[in-house]
Each structure stands twice: as C-alpha cells, then as structure tokens.
Coordinates of all heavy atoms in Angstrom, one line a residue:
G125 N -1.2 -3.4 13.7 CA -1.9 -4.4 12.9 C -2.1 -3.8 11.5 O -2.0 -4.5 10.5
L126 N -2.6 -2.6 11.4 CA -2.9 -2.0 10.1 C -1.6 -1.7 9.4 O -1.6 -1.8 8.1 CB -3.7 -0.6 10.3 CG -5.1 -0.8 10.8 CD1 -5.7 0.6 11.3 CD2 -6.0 -1.4 9.7
N127 N -0.5 -1.3 10.1 CA 0.8 -1.1 9.4 C 1.3 -2.4 8.8 O 1.9 -2.5 7.8 CB 1.8 -0.6 10.5 CG 1.6 0.9 10.8 OD1 0.9 1.6 10.0 ND2 2.3 1.4 11.8
L128 N 1.0 -3.6 9.5 CA 1.4 -4.9 9.0 C 0.7 -5.1 7.6 O 1.3 -5.6 6.7 CB 1.1 -6.0 10.0 CG 1.4 -7.4 9.6 CD1 2.9 -7.6 9.2 CD2 1.0 -8.4 10.6
K129 N -0.6 -4.8 7.6 CA -1.3 -5.0 6.3 C -0.8 -4.0 5.3 O -0.7 -4.4 4.1 CB -2.8 -4.7 6.5 CG -3.5 -5.7 7.4 CD -5.0 -5.4 7.5 CE -5.7 -6.4 8.4 NZ -7.2 -6.1 8.5
W130 N -0.3 -2.9 5.7 CA 0.2 -1.9 4.7 C 1.5 -2.5 4.1 O 1.8 -2.4 3.0 CB 0.5 -0.6 5.4 CG 1.0 0.5 4.5 CD1 0.3 1.4 3.8 CD2 2.4 0.8 4.2 NE1 1.1 2.2 3.1 CE2 2.4 1.8 3.3 CE3 3.6 0.2 4.6 CZ2 3.6 2.4 2.8 CZ3 4.8 0.7 4.1 CH2 4.8 1.8 3.2
N131 N 2.4 -3.0 5.0 CA 3.7 -3.6 4.5 C 3.4 -4.8 3.6 O 4.2 -5.0 2.6 CB 4.5 -4.1 5.7 CG 5.2 -3.0 6.4 OD1 5.8 -2.1 5.8 ND2 5.1 -3.0 7.8
L132 N 2.4 -5.6 3.8 CA 2.0 -6.7 2.9 C 1.6 -6.1 1.6 O 1.8 -6.7 0.5 CB 0.9 -7.5 3.6 CG 1.4 -8.4 4.8 CD1 0.1 -9.0 5.4 CD2 2.4 -9.4 4.4
T133 N 0.8 -5.0 1.6 CA 0.3 -4.4 0.4 C 1.5 -3.9 -0.5 O 1.6 -4.2 -1.7 CB -0.5 -3.2 0.7 OG1 -1.7 -3.6 1.4 CG2 -1.0 -2.4 -0.6
V134 N 2.5 -3.3 0.1 CA 3.7 -2.8 -0.6 C 4.5 -4.0 -1.1 O 5.0 -4.0 -2.2 CB 4.5 -1.9 0.3 CG1 5.8 -1.5 -0.4 CG2 3.7 -0.7 0.7
R135 N 4.7 -5.0 -0.3 CA 5.4 -6.2 -0.7 C 4.8 -6.9 -1.8 O 5.5 -7.3 -2.8 CB 5.6 -7.1 0.5 CG 6.7 -8.2 0.3 CD 6.7 -9.1 1.6 NE 6.9 -8.3 2.8 CZ 6.6 -8.7 4.0 NH1 6.0 -9.8 4.2 NH2 6.9 -7.9 5.0
K136 N 3.5 -7.0 -1.8 CA 2.7 -7.6 -2.9 C 2.9 -6.9 -4.2 O 2.9 -7.5 -5.2 CB 1.2 -7.8 -2.5 CG 0.4 -8.5 -3.5 CD -1.0 -8.7 -2.9 CE -1.8 -7.4 -2.8 NZ -3.2 -7.6 -2.4
A137 N 3.0 -5.6 -4.1 CA 3.2 -4.8 -5.3 C 4.6 -4.7 -5.8 O 4.8 -4.0 -6.8 CB 2.6 -3.4 -5.0
F138 N 5.5 -5.3 -5.1 CA 7.0 -5.2 -5.4 C 7.4 -3.8 -5.4 O 8.3 -3.4 -6.2 CB 7.2 -5.9 -6.7 CG 6.8 -7.3 -6.8 CD1 5.6 -7.7 -7.5 CD2 7.5 -8.3 -6.1 CE1 5.2 -9.0 -7.5 CE2 7.0 -9.6 -6.1 CZ 5.9 -10.0 -6.8
G139 N 6.8 -2.9 -4.6 CA 7.3 -1.5 -4.5 C 6.6 -0.6 -5.5 O 6.2 -1.1 -6.6
F140 N 6.5 0.6 -5.2 CA 5.9 1.6 -6.1 C 6.9 2.7 -6.4 O 7.6 3.2 -5.5 CB 4.6 2.2 -5.5 CG 3.5 1.2 -5.3 CD1 3.3 0.6 -4.1 CD2 2.7 0.9 -6.4 CE1 2.2 -0.3 -4.0 CE2 1.6 0.0 -6.2 CZ 1.4 -0.6 -5.1
R141 N 6.9 3.1 -7.6 CA 7.9 4.2 -8.0 C 7.5 5.6 -7.5 O 8.3 6.4 -7.3 CB 8.1 4.2 -9.5 CG 8.7 2.9 -10.1 CD 8.9 3.0 -11.6 NE 9.5 1.8 -12.1 CZ 10.8 1.5 -12.2 NH1 11.6 2.5 -11.8 NH2 11.2 0.4 -12.6
T142 N 6.2 5.8 -7.4 CA 5.7 7.2 -7.0 C 4.9 7.1 -5.7 O 4.3 6.1 -5.4 CB 4.8 7.8 -8.1 OG1 3.6 7.0 -8.3 CG2 5.6 7.8 -9.4
F143 N 4.9 8.2 -5.0 CA 4.1 8.3 -3.8 C 2.6 8.2 -4.1 O 1.8 7.6 -3.3 CB 4.4 9.6 -3.1 CG 3.4 9.9 -2.0 CD1 3.5 9.2 -0.7 CD2 2.5 10.9 -2.1 CE1 2.6 9.5 0.3 CE2 1.5 11.2 -1.1 CZ 1.6 10.4 0.1
K144 N 2.2 8.7 -5.2 CA 0.8 8.7 -5.6 C 0.3 7.3 -5.8 O -0.9 6.9 -5.3 CB 0.6 9.5 -6.9 CG -0.9 9.8 -7.3 CD -1.5 10.7 -6.3 CE -2.9 11.1 -6.7 NZ -3.6 12.0 -5.6
A145 N 1.1 6.4 -6.4 CA 0.7 5.0 -6.6 C 0.6 4.3 -5.3 O -0.3 3.5 -5.0 CB 1.7 4.3 -7.5
L146 N 1.6 4.6 -4.4 CA 1.6 4.0 -3.1 C 0.4 4.4 -2.3 O -0.2 3.7 -1.6 CB 2.9 4.5 -2.3 CG 3.1 3.9 -0.9 CD1 3.2 2.4 -0.9 CD2 4.4 4.5 -0.3
Q147 N 0.0 5.7 -2.4 CA -1.1 6.3 -1.7 C -2.4 5.6 -2.1 O -3.3 5.2 -1.3 CB -1.2 7.8 -1.9 CG -2.3 8.5 -1.1 CD -2.3 10.0 -1.4 OE1 -2.2 10.4 -2.6 NE2 -2.3 10.8 -0.4
M148 N -2.6 5.4 -3.5 CA -3.8 4.8 -4.0 C -3.9 3.3 -3.6 O -5.0 2.9 -3.1 CB -3.7 4.8 -5.6 CG -3.9 6.1 -6.2 SD -5.5 6.9 -5.9 CE -4.9 8.4 -5.0
A149 N -2.8 2.6 -3.5 CA -2.8 1.2 -3.1 C -3.2 1.1 -1.6 O -3.9 0.2 -1.2 CB -1.5 0.5 -3.4
S150 N -2.6 2.1 -0.8 CA -2.9 2.0 0.6 C -4.3 2.3 0.9 O -5.0 1.6 1.7 CB -2.0 3.1 1.3 OG -0.6 2.9 1.1
F151 N -4.9 3.3 0.3 CA -6.3 3.5 0.5 C -7.2 2.4 0.0 O -8.3 2.1 0.6 CB -6.8 4.9 -0.1 CG -6.5 6.1 0.7 CD1 -5.5 7.0 0.4 CD2 -7.2 6.3 1.9 CE1 -5.3 8.1 1.2 CE2 -6.9 7.4 2.7 CZ -6.0 8.3 2.3
H152 N -6.8 1.9 -1.1 CA -7.5 0.8 -1.7 C -7.7 -0.5 -0.8 O -8.7 -1.1 -0.6 CB -6.9 0.4 -3.0 CG -7.7 -0.6 -3.8 ND1 -9.0 -0.5 -4.1 CD2 -7.3 -1.7 -4.5 CE1 -9.5 -1.4 -4.9 NE2 -8.5 -2.2 -5.1
Q153 N -6.6 -0.7 -0.1 CA -6.5 -1.9 0.8 C -7.0 -1.6 2.2 O -7.7 -2.4 2.9 CB -5.1 -2.5 0.9 CG -4.6 -3.0 -0.4 CD -5.2 -4.4 -0.7 OE1 -5.9 -5.0 0.1 NE2 -4.9 -4.9 -1.9
L154 N -6.7 -0.4 2.8 CA -6.9 -0.1 4.2 C -7.9 1.0 4.4 O -8.3 1.2 5.6 CB -5.6 0.4 4.8 CG -4.4 -0.6 4.7 CD1 -3.1 0.0 5.3 CD2 -4.7 -1.9 5.4
G155 N -8.5 1.6 3.4 CA -9.4 2.7 3.6 C -10.8 2.4 3.9 O -11.6 3.2 4.3
D156 N -11.2 1.1 3.7 CA -12.6 0.7 3.9 C -13.5 1.6 3.2 O -14.5 2.1 3.8 CB -12.9 0.5 5.4 CG -14.2 -0.2 5.7 OD1 -14.7 -0.9 4.8 OD2 -14.7 0.0 6.8

C-alpha cells in the first residue's frame, strides 16, 4: 500500500533526475 503511494508520488512528479530529489519527495509524502 505504501509502495502504491510511492509510485503515485513519482508519477505526479513526472520522474526525478537524481536519487536525492526522489528521496526528498518520498520522505515528504510517506515519512509522516
């Protein structure tokens, strides 16, 4: 379920060029 939210986060962002940006977005949405 959390992975599904993660995929939606990435899709909403139209992808991230760097791992750091992807990491920030993931914690922002799923880190509570």
Side-chain angles (χ1 to χ4, degrees):
L126 291 167
N127 283 349
L128 178 61
K129 291 182 180 179
W130 185 89
N131 282 315
L132 291 172
T133 299
V134 176
R135 195 179 305 157
K136 185 172 67 175
F138 304 105
F140 293 97
R141 294 181 181 274
T142 65
F143 168 73
K144 192 68 177 177
L146 181 61
Q147 189 182 42
M148 291 297 121
S150 302
F151 275 112
H152 190 46
Q153 294 285 353
L154 305 175
D156 192 18

